[in-house]
């Protein structure tokens, strides 16, 4: 369980980091809470690690206006603990601090980063799903320039993203939507474990954005998926049946020793229903 | 790789291979015997150390990532509190909260992090923090009881309604 | 180099306070600069013929000092003889030779300057495998044409024993109710927080090979090492440093322990192997993985009339040393209905080999599944007969008046009162508590309202077969376990005492208990007694630390030695005081003659014995002034009653243990804090066995649970409220142990597996399910309901 040998670089600025990542076999190192265990198990053997730990510009939260919409920006190297306790983030997008508490234990959250979690794209991870549920976009940089991509498009499969070899996530941008309500529910073997199935529900206010509600599943399929809800059906008498039908319509449900197809669909249905109830029971976001 | 950091109050400058974990550096090269390797998979918490004020898994951190940081192992917890024994150590010893002892120093570090804050804590908060530390001997109860008593004696304990 | 932190000057309590800041000394802490590090090339196939093992690229890898395959050990290292059943020995080649039979089996040993270099080099080994279809479960192992896991055995059924008496079939045929069910417990492993570790050095000065190992059985390990090396036992010394938990895992000799010892001799260097968690989960002995088929007959009044049992254990790819494949099947069989009157009973127990990790001991051993099977059967019978679960137990539990009781499958029960233990537990419960109603009720719990948690209560009463002696092991055909334990107590020149024990502490706190007990017999302060164990160079030979042996076997030996030494002290005092032995009076640490004029303190007496001022007066005064003690007096049977209350989410099937109450009767209580500590820790471990812990293999025989992210052990969030009490009643003390103690190491685990398992079964029953398999993971609970067609019932949606 020792790390295989690798080259190590520690850039002090983003342009330098991009230069380093342009080299063959280089891989960015965020908090290391996902990558380092894989390396210890020798399931990952990067030739060079580019440690982003000294890039202060990738740490922190701020609010700004982007394309006419108020947004919360979070640097990719902001740790999960920092997100959990950040006042700006808590008030602008309250779901973030709530969902971060499902991830591992405090010691993992002290090191794990937001950008790392998105780039790792574990199908059972909470944050990629949260980004998708919240319509977040990732800012991406490389020597060739910078771009932005919706996280929904960025995550392409299990541990797969559309990121090129030389690219890194520099930050996440979350639209602030006053009136929105969110809920999350997950089933994990023990608190802090990866979810057997989880769901994030977003209920939109009627007067802004896409109407209605949507649920984003994680730990259910090869990547998080967002499904629009029929609020009346979901909230009605047969809500349980509605969510089970919804879960039964999902394709490519994962099977493993913790849950087979049938059980995972059931857990997904329960998680979605409970997340929906939590969202409806939670006060609308004020965005301030 | 050159790395410079503070270990238990003393500054060190060392040459370390990049692939060495902070846990291996501390235990094998710096004689910090409290840093135990229980899993090297980031789960068991036996290798917990404080980096600046935060408890982290030293098996999931490269030694070179400690550059410029302040590292405290269980050996240094009492010293940073200016006593021969830290409150956490005294509480655990008082309740006999260990058997084989392999998890104990990691538990001390994790609880020290919690004690170093100033917000009131519930028993649930303590359980959450401790649930990142695996103990196979004690059943956790004496550890929880020891720390909750310590919190209560310092007025930091908050009752949680409805639980 | 950084400054080492100062060692604590203050050592409150028994000296274990050092653990709070790294004061423990485990194998990993003994590594010095220049110690070479060992790693292993391990099989990637579950079953394959092994062609050439080419280590040339390994040997030329940076940092590698040497590498050896089985061929390189030919003539240098003997195989270890291990056994299937009585008389069936076979050669265990410590590095795979000719074939591999499980993923993780050691194929080559690699020595290097550090673990990183060794792991890197191990990946360069070129191994020719000719893969064969792996045999991975009981059915395929027993199907015709499956081939053999171990050619030497001639069959995949590598262990078979039966026990019992009477006409069971006739009794079953005339029973009012027969419960006929098959119970399962999954493959699990002990996972002490400290993995295995071995450091060895062949000391040129003394000519002694010193093997420092994280083991529970130093003397047995020495025998194994001297056997494979062909060295005299006296030239091998096994030393046990601090051990970071054992729980049965470390009472098997690992191939790696012997190989490391060999490498130290062969290379003339200090070498170390520190097992990592992946190796520990993949290749260190697993446990359990068994099914118990019970047919139990009951009369209309609830009396048990007959028990017919078949225990089948998937023992994996090898036998283990010293306990052998007899361990789990025999132990399970012996624990069935152990606290109950059983007129007719028979049990057949089988061990079946598969291409999975070899199995061995894990706290509770067969007691855990036996308890679950026994008590689940009683619950089923109670329901069928319209009795309460409490009542059916009352009618069948053994009582003091039954003692001694010759149990047809459990052996002789010498003392105890399981019925009293149950009554004490129940009598001490809060009368309002919901679980009291649940066990007194004639009806199963009503189905909860929609969306409400499913609640279940489990009640168990069981004995723990503690501290078996030589007779038990011989009856299983096992000659590698001595069965006895021994101690010697020595008066030292300064007037203090040293006690040398054959056991090895793995964190239980032996030293504190022994020190006090011995000091009481010798009439001195506990501080004047030093306890030494875990060192074959200084301690007498014996069995070691497992099966709750300490308070029974080991302490009895120490107390016998102490009593003998105490008498000899009086003889010495008489010689010193020039009076008759029966004239010597002792007041604390001062001896005086009958007249009281002549006095000698213990310290003066010791000084006089060790620094004589003239020739000796007799042989009894010669030094070393020491006495030995020995114990081989058969097993004891502590009794425990336990109740568990669980809740299950009716939709997600996540289970949580809310409360556990237990009453433990373990003979005389020597140290209540230690007893409660063993119970608590054991219970939480048992909760893990009942809810979480489960090894799973892929269809190709790869372990899917090779990290602590996949093999789930309990954390602080899984701990319920525990109400634990200890019953210490003179009438129930063991007559077989000197102190009256019966041992307490495994009751918590055995009880929690049974009580939580039965509670889960009751909880899912409310949803129309039926649970006979553990652990009760959400998936298993879901299936237990779904397979009964209960999924569409009113409770579930």
């Amino acid at each position: 369980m020792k790390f295989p040998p690798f080259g190590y670089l520690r850039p002090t600025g983003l342009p330098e980091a991009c230069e380093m990542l342009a080299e063959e076999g280089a891989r960015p190192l965020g908090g290391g809470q996902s990558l380092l265990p894989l390396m210890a198990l020798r399931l990952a053997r990067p030739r060079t690690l580019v440690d982003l730990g000294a890039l202060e510009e990738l740490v922190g939260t701020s609010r700004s206006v982007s394309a006419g919409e108020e947004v919360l920006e979070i640097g990719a190297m902001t740790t999960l603990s920092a997100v959990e306790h950040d006042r700006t983030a808590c008030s602008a997008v309250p779901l973030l601090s709530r969902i971060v508490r499902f991830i591992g234990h405090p010691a993992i959250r002290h090191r794990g980063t937001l950008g790392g979690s998105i780039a790792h794209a574990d199908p059972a991870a909470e944050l990629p799903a949260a980004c998708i549920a919240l319509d977040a976009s990732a800012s991406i940089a490389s020597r060739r320039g910078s771009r932005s991509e919706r996280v929904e498009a960025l995550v392409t499969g299990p541990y797969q993203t559309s990121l090129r070899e030389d690219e890194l996530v520099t930050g996440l941008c979350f639209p602030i939507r006053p009136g929105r309500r969110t809920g999350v529910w997950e089933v994990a073997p023990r608190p802090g474990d990866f979810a057997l199935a989880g769901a994030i529900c977003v209920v939109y206010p009627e007067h802004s954005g896409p109407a209605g509600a949507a649920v984003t599943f994680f730990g259910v399929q090869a990547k998080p998926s967002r499904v629009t809800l029929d609020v009346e059906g979901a909230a009605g008498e047969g809500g349980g049946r509605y969510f089970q039908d919804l879960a039964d319509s999902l394709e490519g449900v994962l099977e493993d020793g913790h849950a087979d197809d049938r059980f995972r669909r059931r857990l997904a249905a329960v998680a979605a229903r409970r997340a929906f109830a939590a969202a409806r029971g939670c006060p609308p976001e004020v965005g301030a | 790789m050159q790395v410079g950091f503070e270990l238990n109050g003393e500054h060190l400058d060392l040459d370390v291979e990049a692939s060495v974990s902070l846990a291996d550096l501390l235990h094998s090269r710096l004689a910090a015997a409290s840093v135990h390797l229980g899993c090297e998979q980031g789960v068991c918490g036996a290798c917990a150390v404080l980096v600046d004020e935060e408890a982290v898994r030293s098996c999931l951190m490269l030694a070179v990532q400690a550059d410029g940081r302040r590292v405290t192992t269980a050996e240094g917890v009492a010293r940073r509190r200016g006593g021969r024994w830290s409150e956490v150590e005294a509480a655990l010893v008082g309740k006999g909260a260990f058997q084989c002892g392999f998890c104990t120093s990691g538990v001390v570090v994790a609880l020290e992090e919690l004690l170093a804050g100033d917000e009131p804590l519930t028993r649930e908060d303590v359980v959450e923090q401790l649930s990142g530390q695996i103990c196979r001997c004690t059943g956790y109860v004496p550890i929880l009881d020891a720390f909750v008593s310590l919190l209560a004696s310092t007025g930091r304990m908050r009752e949680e309604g409805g639980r | 180099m950084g400054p080492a932190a100062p060692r604590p000057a203050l050592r409150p309590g028994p000296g274990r306070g050092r653990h709070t800041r790294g004061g423990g000394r485990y194998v990993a802490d003994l590594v010095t600069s220049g110690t070479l590090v060992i790693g292993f090339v391990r099989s990637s196939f579950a079953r394959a013929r092994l062609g050439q093992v080419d280590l040339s690229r390994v040997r030329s890898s940076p940092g590698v000092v040497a590498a050896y395959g089985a061929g390189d050990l030919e003539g240098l290292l003997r195989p270890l003889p291990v056994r299937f059943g009585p008389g069936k020995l076979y050669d265990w080649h410590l590095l795979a030779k000719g074939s591999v039979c499980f993923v993780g089996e050691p194929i080559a040993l690699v020595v290097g300057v550090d673990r990183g270099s060794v792991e890197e080099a191990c990946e360069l080994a070129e191994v020719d495998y000719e893969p064969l279809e792996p045999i991975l479960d009981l059915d395929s192992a027993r199907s015709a044409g499956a081939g053999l896991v171990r050619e030497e055995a001639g069959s995949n059924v590598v262990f078979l024993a039966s026990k019992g008496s009477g006409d069971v079939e006739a009794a079953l045929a005339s029973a009012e109710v027969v419960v006929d069910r098959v119970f399962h417990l999954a493959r699990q492993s002990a996972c002490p927080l400290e993995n295995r570790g071995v450091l060895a050095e062949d000391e040129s000065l003394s000519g002694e090979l010193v093997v420092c190992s994280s083991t529970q059985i130093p003397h047995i390990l020495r025998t194994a090492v001297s056997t494979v090396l062909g060295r005299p036992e006296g030239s091998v010394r096994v030393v046990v440093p601090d051990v970071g938990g054992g729980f049965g895992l470390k009472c098997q000799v690992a191939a790696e322990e012997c190989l490391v010892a060999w490498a130290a001799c062969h290379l003339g260097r200090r070498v170390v192997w520190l097992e990592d968690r992946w190796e520990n989960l993949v290749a260190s002995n697993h446990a359990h993985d068994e099914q118990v088929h019970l047919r139990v007959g009951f009369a209309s009044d609830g009396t048990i009339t007959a028990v017919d049992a078949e225990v089948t254990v998937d023992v994996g790819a090898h036998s283990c040393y010293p306990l052998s494949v007899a361990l789990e099947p025999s132990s399970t069989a012996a624990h069935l209905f152990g606290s109950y009157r059983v007129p007719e009973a028979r049990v057949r127990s089988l061990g079946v080999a598969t291409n999975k990790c070899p199995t061995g001991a894990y706290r509770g051993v067969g007691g855990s599944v036996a308890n679950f099977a026994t008590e689940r059967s009683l619950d089923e019978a109670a329901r069928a007969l319209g009795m309460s679960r409490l009542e059916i137990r009352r009618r069948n539990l053994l009582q003091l008046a039954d003692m001694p009781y010759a149990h047809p499958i459990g052996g002789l029960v010498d003392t105890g009162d399981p019925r009293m233990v149950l009554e004490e537990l129940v009598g001490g419960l809060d009368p309002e508590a919901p679980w009291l109603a649940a066990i007194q009720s004639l009806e199963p719990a009503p189905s909860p309202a929609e969306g409400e948690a499913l609640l279940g209560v489990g009640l168990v009463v069981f004995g723990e077969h503690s501290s078996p002696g030589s007779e038990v092991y011989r009856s299983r055909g096992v000659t590698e376990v001595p069965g006895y334990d021994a101690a010697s107590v020595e008066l030292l020149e300064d007037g203090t005492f040293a006690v040398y024990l054959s056991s090895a502490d793995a964190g239980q706190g032996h030293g504190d208990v022994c020190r006090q007990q011995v000091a009481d017999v010798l009439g001195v302060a506990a501080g004047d007694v030093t306890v030494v164990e875990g060192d074959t160079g200084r301690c007498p030979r014996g069995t070691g630390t497992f099966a709750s042996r300490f308070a029974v076997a080991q302490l009895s030996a120490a107390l016998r030695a102490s009593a003998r030494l105490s008498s000899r002290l009086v003889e010495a005092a008489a010689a010193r005081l020039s009076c008759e032995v029966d004239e010597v009076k002792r007041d604390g640490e001062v001896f005086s003659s009958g007249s009281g004029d002549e006095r000698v303190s213990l310290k003066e007496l010791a000084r006089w014995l060790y620094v004589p001022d003239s020739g000796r007066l007799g042989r009894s005064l010669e030094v070393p002034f020491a006495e030995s003690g020995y114990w081989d007096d058969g097993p004891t049977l502590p009794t425990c009653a336990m109740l568990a209350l669980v809740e299950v989410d009716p939709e997600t099937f996540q289970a949580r243990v809310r409360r556990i109450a237990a009453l433990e009767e373990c003979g005389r209580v020597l140290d209540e804090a230690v007893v409660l500590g063993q119970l608590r820790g054991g219970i939480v471990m048992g909760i893990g066995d009942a809810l979480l812990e489960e090894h799973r293999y892929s269809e190709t025989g790869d372990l899917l649970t090779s990290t602590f992210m996949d093999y789930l052990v309990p954390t602080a969030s899984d701990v319920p409220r525990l109400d634990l009490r200890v019953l210490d009643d003179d009438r129930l003390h063991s007559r077989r142990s000197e102190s009256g103690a019966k041992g307490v190491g495994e009751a918590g685990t055995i009880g929690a597996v049974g009580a939580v398992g039965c509670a889960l079964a009751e909880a899912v029953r409310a949803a129309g399910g039926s649970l006979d398999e553990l652990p009760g993971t959400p998936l298993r609970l879901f299936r237990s309901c779904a397979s009964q067609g209960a999924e569409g019932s009113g409770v579930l949606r």
Side-chain angles (χ1 to χ4, degrees), chain B residues 53-131:
Chain B
E53 292 305 308
E54 294 179 332
V56 304
R57 319 281 204 218
S58 62
C59 73
L60 290 194
M61 191 166 160
L62 302 175
V64 290
Q65 289 179 298
D67 191 52
R69 313 294 287 269
R70 196 167 64 252
V71 177
T72 308
T73 67
E75 285 93 339
V77 165
R79 190 195 291 188
R80 90 201 247 286
R81 292 194 156 255
R84 284 203 298 175
W85 288 89
S86 72
E87 294 94 323
V88 172
E89 287 179 279
L92 294 179
V93 171
K95 283 270 196 255
F98 35 76
Q99 288 177 27
C100 82
F102 203 77
C103 74
T104 309
S105 39
V107 167
V108 166
V109 168
L111 295 179
E112 173 67 18
E113 180 192 34
L114 216 48
L115 190 69
D118 48 18
E119 74 284 12
L121 297 168
T122 64
R123 194 176 171 95
E124 298 303 316
D125 294 328
V126 181
V127 168
E128 189 195 354
Q129 180 82 351
L130 195 58
S131 67

Side-chain angles (χ1 to χ4, degrees), chain C residues 716-777:
Chain C
S717 54
D718 299 302
V719 177
R721 174 177 155 187
L722 301 177
D723 298 297
L724 310 180
R725 287 183 297 137
V726 182
L727 174 66
D728 184 342
D729 184 315
D730 290 349
R731 292 168 296 171
L732 306 179
H733 289 178
S734 174
R735 311 282 177 261
R736 291 174 172 176
S737 74
E738 287 296 316
S739 66
K742 295 177 172 176
V744 70
E746 320 206 15
T749 306
I750 295 171
V753 172
V756 173
C758 289
L760 288 172
E762 287 299 310
V764 296
R765 187 199 303 289
S770 175
L771 180 78
D772 293 333
E773 278 182 47
L774 295 179
T777 58

Side-chain angles (χ1 to χ4, degrees), chain A residues 131-171:
Chain A
C131 288
I132 291 169
L134 297 168
D135 291 316
S137 304
S139 309
I140 295 160
S142 73
R143 194 169 59 174
R144 295 172 287 117
S146 60
R147 66 184 180 98
S148 168
E149 185 164 358
R150 296 180 68 222
V151 175
E152 189 154 25
L154 183 75
V155 177
T156 55
Y159 311 101
Q160 287 164 9
T161 64
S162 64
L163 287 170
R164 304 261 188 84
E165 289 265 303
D166 64 344
E167 287 183 323
L168 80 155
V169 175
T170 57

Side-chain angles (χ1 to χ4, degrees), chain B residues 2-159:
Chain B
Q2 285 298 312
V3 56
F5 65 95
E6 191 184 301
L7 174 61
N8 297 335
E10 310 222 6
H11 187 82
L12 302 175
D13 285 301
L14 301 159
D15 188 23
V16 183
E17 272 182 55
S19 61
V20 171
S21 71
L22 179 60
D24 275 335
L25 175 74
L26 293 171
H27 185 275
S28 302
R29 281 189 58 190
L30 300 178
S34 74
V35 180
H36 293 149
L37 296 183
C39 72
E40 298 179 90
Q41 298 166 340
V43 183
C44 78
C47 66
V49 299
L50 296 174
V51 172
D52 298 334
E53 292 305 308
E54 294 179 332
V56 304
R57 319 281 204 218
S58 62
C59 73
L60 290 194
M61 191 166 160
L62 302 175
V64 290
Q65 289 179 298
D67 191 52
R69 313 294 287 269
R70 196 167 64 252
V71 177
T72 308
T73 67
E75 285 93 339
V77 165
R79 190 195 291 188
R80 90 201 247 286
R81 292 194 156 255
R84 284 203 298 175
W85 288 89
S86 72
E87 294 94 323
V88 172
E89 287 179 279
L92 294 179
V93 171
K95 283 270 196 255
F98 35 76
Q99 288 177 27
C100 82
F102 203 77
C103 74
T104 309
S105 39
V107 167
V108 166
V109 168
L111 295 179
E112 173 67 18
E113 180 192 34
L114 216 48
L115 190 69
D118 48 18
E119 74 284 12
L121 297 168
T122 64
R123 194 176 171 95
E124 298 303 316
D125 294 328
V126 181
V127 168
E128 189 195 354
Q129 180 82 351
L130 195 58
S131 67
Q133 310 295 126
I134 291 177
C135 169
R136 289 294 266 171
C137 297
T138 64
Y140 303 103
V141 176
I143 304 174
L144 275 168
D145 288 350
F147 192 71
V148 165
S149 305
L150 171 60
L151 286 178
S153 72
T154 57
R156 288 273 306 283
M157 203 60 203
R158 185 165 64 89
E159 292 299 319

